Amino acid sequence: MKILPLTCFFLLSCASCAATSPLPAQQPLPAPAVGKETADSVCAYSHFLEGKSAEAAGRLEEARAAYEKAMACASDPDYLMRTMAVLLARMERKKEAAAWLEKIRKRHPADSETLTFVADLYADMGMTSQAGELYRQILAREPENFEVALQLGILYARNRQFPQAREMLERLVRIDPGSQVGHYYLGKLYQELNEPDKAVASYGKALAIEWSDDLAFETADLYERLNRPEKAIALYRKILAEDPANERARGALAGVYLQQGELDRALAELKELRNYTSDLRKVDFTIGRLLIEQERYDEAIAQFSRLLAEDPGFDAARYLLALIHYEKKNSKKAAELLRQIPAGAETYEDATLLLGKILEDQNDPAAVEKLYAGRLAGKSTRRPVFYVALASFYQEHGQPEKGQAVYAEALSRYPDNPRVLFEHALFLDRLARQDEAIAEMQKVLAIEPHNPYALNYVGYTWADRGVNLKEAL
């Protein structure tokens, strides 16, 4: 039996988590040297400290005013000018920051270190054309300046100037084959260029130069997306060999096994993860779902019952417990559990629909009607899907006029809800009112132009009628 895709609920693997870049963090600027103590130097340093204190406390305008006072009495304001530019960039005052950066650049037009600082800040501010121009100026004088060339390559990639980025980054790793960051960013670029084999090769070189768990996770994620699970598994195993308590790797490994249908291995990894995780409930919930997938219902019942005993408000566990009882033909227990799920729970809609199915199976149409009508009567319990369920109930029991009345109320409350519009179109189609059904489907497409089911319905219906064939295709 398949109930729901396990991977939709298995959140431990963090497969989509962004890996930390291997680039070193930017170092803070050093404090200005006071030198021989003079009235001016004491004044400048006093206001500088006042500004740093205000900036650390988040009082940015106060910090800006203090830095201006410091510059007014500083004999060498270079450092303070840099500090002011960084602060203004942080305050999103780009024009003012840029003005200070131009002053700094003009004071030191031939100093590569200063120009690199200015270019880096321009890049951080999103002023990529100014940053790129400065990087190129530096490289014209210092063609072997690796760090500047790397930053320019990254800038090209960020601007989607992929040919220039590729030329720059490939040249860098030829110049310095031992550059981990060069191979890393080249790997990211190859992903953008849809060259996965080159991407994994570049990541492999970066890992060979210096192992990084974060980079290993990013590489494993790429392997998973390329449907090369054995490669991803090998990387997760390597991480765990060094650190058996690594929750992220253990969870990711279980996730790969789940995707591959190797349920016993996934279960073994999850049970091992229990020894290390800080979130036992999430792991135990996933174990319970896996037991359902394996149709080990008695074990799953014990698992979810224990979770509910520990947390009576765990309604996701309550819903799955009800689902198991339903599969085991214990509808009475299933219905009892479903009625306990409150309107605020994520599983409330599914619980109501399953309860309706149980009542339908029991051949109790009055109870089905009462269930959905009751839910729709209350503002907190009303959901668009319940209108659909009630209208379908009426149609199946030969009362289409009541179903249409339900849809009329639903559309008055939710005129732009694509689910209601779509289901109403199918309702009309079953009544052989295809022109009206197509009109409703076209409303769906006005809201969701790429809805495949609405596209298929309109296209197929036109084609079946032999009309609007070009549009149908």
Side-chain angles (χ1 to χ4, degrees), residues 42 94 189 235 292 379 415 431 439:
V42 170
K94 292 185 179 181
L189 177 62
L235 285 172
I292 295 175
K379 184 177 180 181
L431 296 175

Side-chain angles (χ1 to χ4, degrees), residues 52-298:
K52 294 304 287 184
S53 177
E55 188 174 356
R59 303 191 304 274
L60 304 188
E61 183 57 40
E62 185 180 325
R64 186 200 61 77
Y67 292 148
E68 280 194 347
K69 292 176 184 176
M71 276 187 281
C73 50
S75 57
D76 183 3
D78 278 356
Y79 174 82
L80 292 166
M81 292 171 73
R82 292 187 180 206
T83 303
M84 179 69 85
V86 171
L87 175 66
L88 290 168
R90 182 182 172 192
M91 296 171 73
E92 296 294 327
R93 292 163 65 166
K94 292 185 179 181
K95 287 186 178 180
E96 294 173 71
W100 282 106
L101 290 174
E102 283 304 298
K103 290 179 183 178
I104 296 168
R105 185 179 67 82
K106 288 176 181 177
R107 284 172 63 87
H108 304 280
D111 181 19
S112 295
E113 183 178 342
T114 298
L115 293 181
T116 300
F117 165 80
V118 173
D120 288 347
L121 196 52
Y122 272 138
D124 287 341
M125 291 162 57
M127 301 173 69
T128 54
S129 60
Q130 294 91 329
E133 179 59 32
L134 283 177
Y135 287 139
R136 285 187 288 271
Q137 285 181 23
I138 298 167
L139 287 175
R141 292 199 300 262
E142 302 176 16
E144 300 301 314
N145 190 320
F146 184 90
E147 293 302 324
V148 170
L150 177 64
Q151 292 302 323
L152 182 56
I154 295 169
L155 191 67
Y156 281 140
R158 187 190 304 173
N159 289 342
R160 305 192 72 79
Q161 296 172 272
F162 293 139
Q164 296 94 321
R166 181 176 194 148
E167 179 183 358
M168 182 67 66
L169 293 173
E170 287 181 345
R171 182 168 70 86
L172 284 178
V173 296
R174 286 196 300 270
I175 294 171
D176 184 4
S179 169
Q180 185 193 39
V181 291
H183 288 294
Y184 170 77
Y185 281 110
L186 189 55
K188 293 188 76 68
L189 177 62
Y190 285 141
Q191 285 194 71
E192 289 283 352
L193 296 173
N194 197 27
E195 297 184 32
D197 290 328
K198 289 189 175 182
V200 294
S202 290
Y203 280 166
K205 290 175 182 176
L207 283 170
I209 292 167
E210 183 177 352
W211 177 265
S212 158
D213 283 356
D214 286 327
L215 181 52
F217 279 117
E218 191 168 350
T219 308
D221 178 55
L222 177 56
Y223 278 132
E224 288 188 54
R225 286 186 277 119
L226 295 174
N227 196 26
R228 301 178 189 175
E230 70 289 345
K231 297 286 189 180
I233 288 169
L235 285 172
Y236 294 139
R237 287 289 182 202
K238 184 170 182 179
I239 295 171
L240 290 169
E242 296 295 324
D243 179 14
N246 191 307
E247 294 182 34
R248 182 181 173 190
R250 187 79 62 185
L253 183 57
V256 177
Y257 285 139
L258 284 174
Q259 291 171 3
Q260 296 304 305
E262 298 186 55
L263 304 185
D264 288 334
R265 286 188 170 185
L267 187 58
E269 292 300 330
L270 289 171
K271 288 180 176 178
E272 181 66 20
L273 181 58
R274 291 191 87 260
N275 297 320
Y276 307 106
T277 185
S278 57
D279 192 347
L280 274 175
R281 190 176 85 157
K282 184 186 293 184
V283 175
D284 286 343
F285 182 78
T286 306
I287 289 173
R289 290 190 55 80
L290 190 51
L291 291 170
I292 295 175
E293 189 79 3
Q294 295 178 316
E295 299 185 14
R296 294 160 61 176
Y297 295 140
D298 291 338

Side-chain angles (χ1 to χ4, degrees), residues 338-404:
L338 294 169
R339 291 185 187 280
Q340 296 173 20
I341 295 177
E346 288 186 12
T347 55
Y348 175 67
E349 287 187 13
D350 290 335
T352 299
L353 295 174
L354 181 56
L355 183 56
K357 189 175 189 321
I358 290 172
L359 296 173
E360 188 77 37
D361 291 344
Q362 293 173 348
N363 197 25
D364 191 352
V368 177
E369 183 179 18
K370 182 179 179 181
L371 171 69
Y372 291 129
R375 294 285 198 261
L376 292 171
K379 184 177 180 181
S380 65
T381 58
R382 186 184 302 131
R383 301 289 188 275
V385 70
F386 299 159
Y387 284 103
V388 174
L390 182 57
S392 297
F393 165 80
Y394 283 135
Q395 189 171 46
E396 290 167 6
H397 287 78
Q399 298 176 290
E401 68 286 348
K402 284 191 174 182
Q404 183 57 45

